Amino acid sequence: MGGTEAIRRGADGRGGLGNVVSGIVVAIGFALFLGGFVWGALVYRPYTVPTDSMMPTVRPGDRLLAQRIDGGEVRRGDVVVFTDSTWSDLPMVKRVVGVGGDTVKCCGAGGELTVNGTPLDEPYADTSRPDSGLAMPPGQAPPPGTPFEVTVPEGNLFLLGDRRAASLDSRSHLQEAGQGTVPRSAVSARVDALAWPSMGMLERPRTYAALPGGTSGHGPLRLQVAAVVAGAVLVVLGAAYGPLVRLRGRGRRERAGAA
């Protein structure tokens, strides 16, 4: 009886049911912690923005987390990473404004961009002129408000930078085949969050929600972060069990000896 009780209680903090449970908690914690990181590495890729064409949404040097997706998953309003040989041999970051079948036009009665005749409310966009005092690349970016009208071919995307006066985007390629649009297959990832120096999820613009197809949802990043945090907490709590039990037992023995 006494032996069974000793095993169950683990009087010196080095055995017993409590330490078995502690070991299980630590194992689960490690699984969650490492699993969250591995899952994140499989689903997301880091990307550093080299230019200011997406200001103020993202700034030069910002570190992004972009979810690896198929181009067929792209919706209006998404900020995507893509590579198109007509534009550049390097990955670029732009916002999807129109998808196959859409008519994208500048400008509406109030000077706003329209998609299928619906004016877009774009609080994320910087439509200031080049004389605003901000640096801009030399050359080809059309001034904000320059008229155009494009019907996007099926399977293609019309892409714009949020800083309209400094972005070499679909407007700069209107005279080429496809009127500046790129195939969905050129997209390799969708930006889901800012990672550095600021941190936060990249919200989907509400102005696109009422259009057919709506907007895309966020990826599993929040769940992955939760798994990593929960795993770390479980590891710390499980690892602390043994020392706490030993400390408590030592205190009891000292009090008993003093008595």
Side-chain angles (χ1 to χ4, degrees):
M1 182 72 175
T4 304
E5 184 67 16
I7 293 174
R8 184 176 298 165
R9 294 179 59 185
D12 62 354
R14 290 175 292 182
L17 180 60
N19 283 330
V20 172
V21 173
S22 171
I24 294 174
V25 168
V26 170
I28 293 173
F30 269 121
L32 286 173
F33 186 82
L34 296 177
F37 271 114
V38 172
W39 186 14
L42 292 175
V43 175
Y44 287 92
R45 55 167 288 192
Y47 185 80
T48 302
V49 177
T51 71
D52 59 0
S53 68
M54 282 299 294
M55 288 176 60
T57 305
V58 292
R59 299 176 179 277
D62 279 0
R63 194 74 167 171
L64 309 176
L65 289 178
Q67 182 184 3
R68 304 173 194 267
I69 61 168
D70 181 84
E73 301 176 51
V74 174
R75 300 289 182 270
R76 301 179 192 88
D78 288 345
V79 176
V80 297
V81 180
F82 69 99
T83 305
D84 186 272
S85 58
T86 305
W87 293 36
S88 170
D89 291 328
L90 299 174
M92 303 183 71
V93 177
K94 302 294 179 187
R95 188 181 298 276
V96 177
V97 173
V99 298
D102 285 346
T103 297
V104 183
K105 182 179 179 179
C106 183
C107 295
E112 65 282 294
L113 204 63
T114 67
V115 174
N116 302 330
T118 301
L120 298 181
D121 178 19
E122 298 185 286
Y124 53 80
D126 176 4
T127 57
S128 57
R129 296 283 177 171
D131 58 4
S132 61
L134 297 171
M136 65 173 290
Q140 309 167 36
T146 301
F148 67 85
E149 183 173 348
V150 172
T151 298
V152 183
E154 290 297 335
N156 281 25
L157 304 168
F158 191 83
L159 302 156
L160 297 180
D162 285 356
R163 189 179 172 208
R164 300 290 157 79
S167 177
L168 304 180
D169 47 37
S170 288
R171 300 168 301 159
S172 304
H173 299 273
L174 293 176
Q175 306 307 316
E176 299 169 7
Q179 292 186 280
T181 63
V182 301
R184 285 180 175 269
S185 59
V187 175
S188 59
R190 175 172 54 215
V191 177
D192 212 16
L194 302 177
W196 184 262
S198 60
M199 293 185 291
M201 302 299 291
L202 198 67
E203 296 303 324
R204 307 301 192 250
R206 296 181 180 179
T207 190
Y208 296 96
L211 296 173
T215 55
S216 64
H218 289 294
L221 183 60
R222 287 191 177 99
L223 187 56
Q224 292 165 352
V225 171
V228 170
V229 172
V233 170
L234 289 176
V235 169
V236 170
L237 292 178
Y241 173 80
L244 289 175
V245 169
R246 286 193 291 271
L247 183 62
R248 184 180 178 186
R250 187 179 302 119
R252 285 179 174 177
R253 288 193 297 271
E254 290 175 353
R255 287 194 297 272

